[in-house]
Amino acid sequence: MTVPSSPPSPPSPPACPPVSRGNARSARRDLADAPLLVAARGGRPSRVPVWFMRQAGRSLPEYRALREGVSMLRACADPEMLAEITLQPVRRHGVDAAILFSDIVVPLHAAGMEIDIVPGTGPVVAAPVRTAEAVAALPSLDPAQVSPVTDGIGLLLERLGDTPLIGFAGAPFTLASYLIEGGPSRNHEHTKALMHAEPRLWHELAGRLADITLAFLTAQLDAGVDAIQLFDSWAGALSPKDYREFVLPHSAKVLAGVGEYGVPRIHFGVGTGELLTAMRDAGADVVGVDWRVPLDEAVRRLAVPGGPAPVVQGNLDPALLMSSWPVIEAEVRRIVAEGRAAGGHIFNLGHGVLPDTDPEVLTRVVELVHSL
């Protein structure tokens, strides 16, 4: 994939609803020297920062013990449990950031939609959204509906010390895919069919979901998170043309809507090697890269002639954490070396921690990254 001489300008995002600042400035801690925040802003931190997607989860025995008999959505709505789960990998691994324990469907559920997270399957929607009537019936999100999340953030700010807290949300396309398909999908056939056959309805649905996502992120930012990550887990199923036409305007609306907070905005998807420049154009400060594209090649694709060097996050294949330590060490060293081509590099996996990963291996990876 070649870098165009002049990258295309992103579509102008639709007007965003007013952002309620609340006590955001007083709530947010002064962590200007935190390695993750320095790297995310294109600076040179004291060490290469590292955190892992799904670092709080089934790979940790303490997580499994705490979650026993408690549903995912119930855990996400319990401020004390949410805070404790978020803290567990920080204590155990010494990572450079905590990521809020939540799920991308939490704001949909909080707004009143009939959606559940089924163990072994994922999010399942009671009634798929495929008609104009169903789209018109979608609720909006009142920040008060996610008060358990913001209460949990308040607890975390008291307990995290100088470790940054990353808030997150699902991007409109991925949320729409769950709603249209009724659950996880391999081919996203209903989603793509609606997108092309009824583009006006698609944009109405994606726009409403962008508003929900923006409201959820705004609530987290007002509560004091230090960075945000927008997950577009299924965007890799799309062509660059379809992404720019059907997805980019809505992700841009979300990322622009949180821009005034001045915190780093990370954008990540799986299988998005051909979409990296479009994800940059959506307004990301940091582009997450999965394991399919080497970081130095991702930097080449993301570079804007005459502009600052791109900031990237990634990208160890999570499956390799099941390998021998010499294999893992060699891969970590390679990725850190490739990341030096970037304006800033946040070490991470190319997707989430797999449930059977040995926690001790994750701790060793953190120690190795910090030593390089």
Side-chain angles (χ1 to χ4, degrees), residues 29 78-84 86-87 100 148-161 165 223:
R29 299 163 295 164
D78 182 325
E80 186 62 49
M81 183 174 288
L82 177 160
E84 172 58 24
T86 302
L87 284 162
L100 185 69
V149 174
T150 55
D151 290 346
I153 291 171
L155 296 175
L156 284 162
L157 299 185
E158 296 172 358
R159 302 172 187 177
L160 274 170
L165 175 61

Side-chain angles (χ1 to χ4, degrees), residues 3 46 70 86 106 111 121 152 181 212 214-215 221 236 249 276 287 318 330-331 337 359-360 367:
V3 178
S46 57
V70 180
T86 302
V106 162
T121 299
E181 303 294 338
I212 290 174
L214 182 53
L221 287 158
L276 292 177
V287 177
E331 286 297 295
E360 296 304 317
E367 292 171 349

